[in-house]
C-alpha cells in the first residue's frame, strides 16, 4: 500500500465496529475480563490500549518494521532502548546529536555503567577505529541535529553487522515519509513523535520501531516495566497528525528549498547547512538513501549581534524550541537544545553564538523570507 494511503487510512486492524471514521479514544485505565482465563486482548492501558495500538500499527507500517512502541516522549523512547544494554557495554554515537540525547547518555547512561565514544559518523573509518571488544551498538542521527551531517546508513549497517552490533537510527528529522532506515539495515529506528509525526506542536510522543520480533519482545518487556507509555488521547492526536504527514512534509520541504537558496545568497549569512543544497557534503548520500531532504535548516550569521537581532526581530517566525510543526520556528542551539553540552565541545562542532536553527513550516515561503529579510536588515 502506498505511504500516502497508509498515512490517511492507518492500520487495517480495527477495534471499533460502529463505523466511526476516526479511531475512538479508549480513555480507560483498565479492561474487564469476560471470565477466569478469558480476556479481550486488553488488560491494562500501561501494557496496551486500543487507541495506542492503532497508532503503533500505523508507525510500524510506515517504517517497515515488525513493531512500533509508542512512548510518552522521544527521550522516554531512547531511555528504554538504553535499557537493552548492561553495565560495561560500549556504544559508538554520532558526535552531533540532539542535546537531550547527549544529556541522557553522559549524565544517566554513563552513571548506569554504559560507555560512549562520540565520532563523526560520516567518516566510516572513524566508526571502525572506535569499535571496542565491549561495543554493542552504533547510534546515529541523520540528518544530525543541528549541523545536518548526513551519515550513510547502509554502509554503517554493514559495519554494525560485521561486528555484531545493533544499529540504532534517530529518523526524527526526515520522518518515515522521506527515509526508512530499516530498509537500509537499521535494527531500531527512533522518533520524537512530537515533531513531524504529530506535526502541530501540540503534544509529546516518542517511538522505537524494531526490525525483528526478538528486539520487539525485549523492548515490550522494558516498556511495560518502566511504564512510559503514550496516553490514549495523545495517541489519537498522533493518528490525526499522521493523516497529513505526506502533504506537510512535501510543502515544508518545498519552502525549505526556497529558504535555503535565499539564505545562501544573503550577505549576512556565512554558512547554510541544508542537505537539499547541492553544495552540502551529504547531498549525494541523501539522494541515495532518502526520498527527500526535509525542512530543517541551520545557518551561521556574520556575528553574534546579527544572530540576536534575528531572534528578537522575527514576527511571523516564532523563537521557540522544538521542530516539525506547521509553524516556522527558530532556535538558538547554544542556549536551548544544546545548552548542556560543554562549550568547548559545542564550538568544535560549529554550535557557536552565531548559529541558528530553522524548522520551516507551512506558511507561504515569501512571507517567511520577508520576515527573515526584515529581521536581518
Amino acid at each position: 500500500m502506498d505511504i500516502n494511503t497508509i498515512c490517511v487510512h492507518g492500520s487495517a486492524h480495527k477495534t471499533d465496529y460502529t463505523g466511526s471514521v476516526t479511531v475512538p479514544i479508549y480513555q480507560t485505565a483498565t479492561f474487564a475480563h469476560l471470565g477466569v482465563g478469558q480476556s479481550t486482548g486488553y488488560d491494562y492501558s500501561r501494557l496496551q490500549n486500543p487507541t495506542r495500538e492503532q497508532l503503533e500499527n500505523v508507525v510500524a507500517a510506515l517504517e517497515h518494521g515488525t513493531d512500533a512502541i509508542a512512548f510518552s516522549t522521544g527521550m522516554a523512547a531512547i531511555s528504554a532502548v538504553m535499557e537493552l544494554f548492561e553495565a560495561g557495554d560500549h556504544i559508538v554515537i554520532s558526535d552531533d546529536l540532539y542535546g537531550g540525547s547527549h544529556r541522557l547518555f553522559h549524565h544517566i547512561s554513563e552513571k548506569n555503567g554504559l560507555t560512549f565514544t562520540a565520532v563523526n559518523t560520516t567518516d566510516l573509518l572513524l566508526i571502525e577505529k572506535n569499535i571496542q571488544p565491549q561495543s554493542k551498538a552504533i547510534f546515529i542521527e541523520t540528518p544530525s541535529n543541528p549541523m545536518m551531517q548526513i551519515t550513510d546508513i547502509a554502509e554503517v549497517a554493514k559495519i554494525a553487522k560485521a561486528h555484531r552490533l545493533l544499529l540504532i537510527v534517530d529518523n526524527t528529522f526526515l520522518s518515515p515519509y522521506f527515509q526508512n532506515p530499516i530498509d537500509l539495515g537499521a535494527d531500531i529506528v527512533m522518533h520524537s513523535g512530537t515533531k513531524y509525526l504529530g506535526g502541530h506542536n501540540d503534544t509529546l510522543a516518542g517511538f522505537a520501531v524494531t526490525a525483528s520480533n526478538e528486539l520487539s519482545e525485549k523492548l515490550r518487556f522494558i516498556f511495560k516495566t518502566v511504564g512510559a507509555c503514550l496516553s490514549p488521547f495523545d495517541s489519537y492526536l498522533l493518528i490525526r497528525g499522521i493523516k497529513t504527514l505526506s502533504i506537510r512534509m512535501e510543502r515544508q520541504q518545498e519552502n525549505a528549498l526556497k529558504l535555503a537558496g535565499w539564505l545562501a545568497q544573503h550577505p549576512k549569512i556565512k554558512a547554510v547547512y541544508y542537505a537539499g543544497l547541492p553544495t552540502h557534503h551529504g547531498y549525494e548520500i541523501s539522494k541515495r538513501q532518502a526520498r527527500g531532504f526535509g525542512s530543517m535548516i541551520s545557518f551561521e550569521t556574520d556575528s553574534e549581534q546579527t544572530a540576536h537581532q534575528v531572534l528578537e526581530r522575527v514576527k511571523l517566525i516564532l523563537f521557540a524550541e522544538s521542530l516539525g510543526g506547521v509553524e516556522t520556528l527558530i532556535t538558538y542551539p547554544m542556549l536551548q537544545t544544546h545548552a548542556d553540552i560543554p562549550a568547548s565541545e559545542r564550538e568544535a562542532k560549529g554550535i557557536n553564538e552565531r548559529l541558528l536553527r530553522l524548522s520551516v513550516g507551512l506558511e507561504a515561503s515569501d512571507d517567511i523570507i520577508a520576515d527573515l529579510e526584515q529581521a536581518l536588515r
Side-chain angles (χ1 to χ4, degrees):
M1 189 180 291
D2 185 85
I3 190 168
N4 293 278
T5 305
I6 296 172
C7 286
V8 173
H9 288 280
S11 169
H13 174 67
K14 304 298 180 184
T15 58
D16 174 74
Y17 301 99
T18 66
S20 174
V21 173
T22 59
V23 175
I25 303 170
Y26 288 86
Q27 193 64 47
T28 182
T30 192
F31 301 84
H33 296 292
L34 302 175
V36 177
Q38 299 180 57
S39 172
T40 61
Y42 303 97
D43 301 306
Y44 191 61
S45 277
R46 172 162 48 81
L47 309 180
Q48 192 51 286
N49 176 282
T51 314
R52 188 168 71 240
E53 184 177 49
Q54 287 293 304
L55 170 64
E56 291 173 338
N57 289 339
V58 173
V59 174
L62 291 174
E63 278 291 13
H64 308 160
T66 61
D67 191 13
I69 306 171
F71 292 83
S72 55
T73 67
M75 290 313 305
I78 297 176
S79 297
V81 169
M82 289 300 106
E83 293 300 325
L84 291 169
F85 308 106
E86 299 178 355
D89 287 349
H90 171 259
I91 302 173
V92 178
I93 61 175
S94 296
D95 66 353
D96 187 41
L97 284 177
Y98 167 55
S101 300
H102 181 281
R103 183 170 57 243
L104 171 70
F105 296 159
H106 295 294
H107 293 277
I108 305 298
S109 299
E110 283 186 350
K111 172 180 66 67
N112 294 336
L114 303 185
T115 60
F116 299 86
T117 300
V119 302
N120 183 339
T121 50
T122 67
D123 187 333
L124 301 176
L125 292 178
L126 267 181
I127 297 175
E128 286 267 17
K129 182 180 178 181
N130 284 279
I131 292 173
Q132 304 174 8
Q134 60 270 36
S135 295
K136 293 295 187 294
I138 302 171
F139 184 105
I140 65 174
E141 282 183 9
T142 184
S144 66
N145 185 1
M147 301 308 295
M148 310 303 160
Q149 294 177 358
I150 304 298
T151 295
D152 191 322
I153 299 171
E155 290 302 314
V156 177
K158 291 177 184 176
I159 295 171
K161 284 175 174 51
H163 293 273
R164 297 184 178 180
L165 309 179
L166 292 178
L167 174 57
I168 306 164
V169 180
D170 188 325
N171 196 30
T172 297
F173 272 19
L174 288 187
S175 89
Y177 182 73
F178 280 143
Q179 183 169 265
N180 295 119
I182 286 174
D183 291 350
L184 299 166
D187 297 291
I188 301 173
V189 176
M190 310 302 307
H191 282 282
S192 171
T194 310
K195 312 307 193 292
Y196 290 102
L197 291 174
H200 292 78
N201 290 322
D202 58 6
T203 192
L204 303 178
F207 294 92
V209 186
T210 58
S212 71
N213 290 328
E214 179 185 5
L215 280 171
S216 170
E217 289 173 8
K218 290 179 179 179
L219 277 172
R220 284 279 173 193
F221 178 81
I222 293 166
F223 177 73
K224 75 175 183 179
T225 303
V226 176
C229 58
L230 192 63
S231 74
F233 183 69
D234 288 332
S235 297
Y236 163 79
L237 289 176
L238 265 291
I239 292 169
R240 187 179 67 168
I242 289 172
K243 285 181 183 292
T244 59
L245 177 66
S246 59
I247 58 174
R248 286 188 286 104
M249 295 302 292
E250 291 286 358
R251 174 61 183 273
Q252 286 171 279
Q253 175 179 246
E254 179 184 336
N255 281 349
L257 283 164
K258 291 179 182 177
L259 260 69
W262 179 82
L263 285 165
Q265 301 300 317
H266 198 284
K268 289 189 177 182
I269 305 303
K270 299 307 177 185
V272 179
Y273 305 98
Y274 179 61
L277 292 175
T279 54
H280 190 281
H281 65 86
Y283 180 73
E284 293 300 328
I285 296 174
S286 290
K287 288 203 300 182
R288 186 167 67 245
Q289 72 184 13
R291 296 177 293 275
F293 303 107
S295 55
M296 294 301 301
I297 303 171
S298 288
F299 60 96
E300 187 174 333
T301 61
D302 59 357
S303 68
E304 180 178 7
Q305 179 183 357
T306 299
H308 287 198
Q309 176 180 310
V310 170
L311 295 171
E312 292 167 0
R313 289 187 181 179
V314 286
K315 299 174 182 177
L316 177 71
I317 299 167
L318 304 173
F319 177 19
E321 293 196 43
S322 199
L323 59 102
V326 296
E327 300 90 358
T328 297
L329 304 180
I330 194 164
T331 300
Y332 201 20
M334 67 167 288
L335 292 184
Q336 292 178 291
T337 56
H338 292 71
D340 290 332
I341 298 176
S344 58
E345 290 183 34
R346 213 172 47 227
E347 290 169 6
K349 297 180 180 72
I351 307 171
N352 55 40
E353 69 280 357
R354 301 179 300 279
L355 186 78
L356 299 174
R357 192 193 72 185
L358 196 66
S359 172
V360 183
L362 291 178
E363 304 93 343
S365 58
D366 288 346
D367 289 335
I368 304 171
I369 289 171
D371 194 28
L372 284 172
E373 188 170 31
Q374 65 83 23
L376 283 162
R377 194 172 297 132

